[in-house]
Amino acid sequence: MQEYHNGTQCLHAGYVPGNGEPRNIPIVQSTTFRYASSEAMGALFDLEAEGYFYTRLQNPTLDRVAAKICALEGGTAAMLTSSGQAANFFAIFNLCSAGDHVVASSAIYGGTFNLFSVTMRRMGIEFTFVSPDCSPEELEAAFQPNTKAVFGETIANPALIVLDFDKFASAAHAHGVPLIVDNTFATPINCRPFEFGADIVTHSTTKYMDGHANCVGGAIVDSGKFDWTKYPDKFPGLCTPDESYHGITYTQRFGLAGAFITKATAQLMRDFGAIPAPMNAYLLNVGLETLHLRMPRHCENALAVAKHVQNHPKIAWVNYPGLEGDKYHALAQKYLPHGTCGVVTFGVKGGRKAAETFMAGLKLASIATHVADAKTCVLHPASSTHRQLTEAELQAAGVSPDLIRLSVGIEDVEDILADLDQALALV
Ligand code: PLP
């Protein structure tokens, strides 16, 4: 499917029906798969044969949707997870054990920050958070001998900071570790991180990929480009035999193209079981089929909103990397020349109280713990998704107390602007 453009891949990649087979990806709603002999089943358990035996490990519906996301990102292997949280956890935990260390941008989604700084730290994995605007020297200083990965978001939620891929990828590679990038906000329609040096991509498919607020989900894609075998001491899980799979060495058996995802499936999905339901994968695929149409509309509407509020007398500030003059516009032009995302953040003059009045006054946009959805929605991160962060952490994440995150949908933009105006009039 590589020869097709991304729009075509949104519709066709991952599944080519044979003669008389279903036109849509079939929902294989079965936990188990029948085999004629125990021997055949045994070969699957030893990863010696390909096939399905239990949906916690693999399921045809999930695999086909994962293959579509893999093609969209230009990767070599991919897997679906039950949430974006699970995708980010698996991506890191597939490389790190207790005693290891990760360098991460501080401008990331609050849930990911908490996963890293609290839960994974409890598991013995340390994180050093660096400002996305740090100098190459400051980034360099964050590395330790036990560093196993670098993590960032293409467009940070909700700070809307565009990742400096060159800076982060070259630092990661100079230290012999992969760059893992959460590409949720950009989607492969607007940015393909593998083209800019990322090695692993993660997604909360809950957002634009699904696009209709139907189901929570995640995905991990491997570029197949990172050569784990050059650093066997750093990545023993990929380069030395796995006793829980009868001594398989993932890089030997599955090559660079398949080692990372096979290990994540065989070990992490087996043991943690964060698998989406086949029905959810099906719904995600319905969303993916129009991703290439929705993203440009999101960006067009968001740019119109950013321009509109920029000059509004009741607006204190606005952030949108697609907007000329925005601090991250140059990086957006470099890495996302066709559009960034549909999320715009701004502050209403008068601080928190004014923000509350404004948000309560919105009629079309609903207040929802959600973002990157076809319908316009709005949130105050400091009192919701980022509530657990301290003042200093909020600042590092780029979340000011007055920040309003408007996720601009694909409605007629005149209606979105009119809704904003009437709510601002109430402030
Ligand atoms: N990554 C980013 C950039 C997100 O915005 C989110 C959720 O908002 C997540 C990961 C977590 O994804 P999920 O809610 O699907 O677990």
Side-chain angles (χ1 to χ4, degrees):
M1 275 285 165
Q2 283 309 329
E3 70 272 23
Y4 290 126
H5 293 91
N6 255 3
T8 308
Q9 310 232 60
C10 280
L11 288 144
H12 294 283
Y15 176 60
V16 182
N19 217 17
E21 286 182 354
R23 187 71 193 80
N24 279 355
I25 294 179
I27 304 169
V28 181
Q29 191 66 50
S30 181
T31 57
T32 42
F33 301 83
R34 181 191 167 270
Y35 284 89
S37 73
S38 299
E39 203 186 344
M41 182 80 88
L44 295 172
F45 269 88
D46 284 351
L47 301 181
E48 274 163 7
E50 272 189 40
Y52 298 96
F53 55 99
Y54 192 57
T55 283
R56 169 152 45 79
L57 280 119
Q58 274 186 298
N59 171 283
T61 311
L62 272 52
D63 279 0
R64 285 160 174 166
V65 180
K68 176 175 285 187
I69 294 173
C70 186
L72 288 170
E73 287 288 5
T76 57
M79 67 195 286
L80 297 189
T81 57
S82 56
S83 66
Q85 287 297 95
N88 281 328
F89 172 59
F90 279 15
I92 301 280
F93 202 63
N94 208 29
L95 300 174
C96 298
S97 313
D100 288 338
H101 171 259
V102 175
V103 175
S105 164
S106 61
I108 51 175
Y109 165 60
T112 310
F113 183 81
N114 194 65
L115 167 71
F116 291 173
S117 64
V118 180
T119 305
M120 293 189 79
R121 196 163 266 166
R122 236 185 253 148
M123 300 168 95
I125 300 167
E126 284 298 323
F127 289 79
T128 298
F129 294 97
V130 292
S131 161
D133 298 330
C134 65
S135 68
E137 294 71 31
E138 284 164 338
L139 185 52
E140 176 67 29
F143 283 83
Q144 301 178 7
N146 57 344
T147 302
K148 297 295 171 73
V150 175
F151 181 92
E153 292 178 4
T154 304
I155 305 174
N157 174 15
L160 303 183
I161 292 171
V162 177
L163 190 74
D164 187 336
F165 279 96
D166 285 349
K167 183 174 68 183
F168 278 84
S170 56
H173 296 158
H175 286 270
V177 301
L179 173 62
I180 303 175
V181 172
D182 182 329
N183 197 31
T184 298
F185 267 28
T187 83
I189 300 303
N190 286 342
C191 180
R192 304 212 310 169
F194 297 153
E195 292 169 6
F196 303 115
D199 302 287
I200 308 288
V201 157
T202 59
H203 279 281
S204 165
T205 62
T206 319
K207 309 296 165 353
Y208 289 120
M209 282 193 167
D210 173 305
H212 301 80
N214 279 323
C215 44
V216 173
I220 311 173
V221 189
D222 182 12
S223 67
K225 285 196 277 194
F226 193 86
D227 191 351
W228 315 103
T229 63
K230 273 168 85 178
Y231 315 97
D233 296 342
K234 264 198 211 306
F235 305 109
L238 286 154
C239 302
T240 54
D242 176 3
E243 294 318 320
S244 73
Y245 265 110
H246 312 298
I248 279 180
T249 299
Y250 291 100
T251 42
Q252 256 170 31
R253 178 71 70 83
F254 302 101
L256 296 184
F260 186 87
I261 293 295
T262 308
K263 177 179 180 291
T265 303
Q267 290 179 345
L268 304 185
M269 203 52 102
R270 176 195 63 190
D271 295 349
F272 293 107
I275 196 83
M279 182 67 193
N280 281 9
Y282 176 86
L283 289 171
L284 166 59
N285 184 56
V286 174
L288 286 169
E289 290 193 355
T290 56
L291 185 65
H292 61 303
L293 299 179
R294 289 182 284 110
M295 287 313 291
R297 176 67 174 240
H298 277 292
C299 295
E300 196 185 303
N301 282 0
L303 183 60
V305 165
K307 283 182 174 164
H308 186 76
V309 295
Q310 188 179 29
N311 300 315
H312 197 288
K314 292 196 177 166
I315 297 289
W317 56 268
V318 56
N319 281 341
Y320 182 64
L323 191 65
E324 233 171 278
D326 186 88
K327 188 175 171 196
Y328 298 97
H329 188 62
L331 283 173
Q333 293 274 289
K334 181 171 175 186
Y335 299 118
L336 304 109
H338 305 300
T340 53
C341 64
V343 184
V344 179
T345 59
F346 52 82
V348 178
K349 285 181 188 163
R352 205 169 178 138
K353 186 86 200 65
E356 277 167 17
T357 310
F358 163 73
M359 285 173 63
L362 289 166
K363 290 182 179 151
L364 181 64
S366 28
I367 299 176
T369 308
H370 196 41
V371 67
D373 179 6
K375 302 181 196 78
T376 298
C377 57
V378 67
L379 189 78
H380 182 237
S383 58
S384 54
T385 48
H386 288 63
R387 196 183 182 87
Q388 74 282 8
L389 271 62
T390 63
E391 285 294 320
E393 288 168 348
L394 277 176
Q395 206 182 344
V399 183
S400 55
D402 65 338
L403 184 149
I404 292 171
R405 185 184 71 185
L406 185 75
S407 175
V408 182
I410 57 175
E411 300 94 343
D412 288 303
V413 73
E414 299 80 0
D415 295 327
I416 300 172
L417 299 180
D419 192 31
L420 297 177
D421 284 346
Q422 66 79 27
L424 282 168
L426 303 173
V427 175

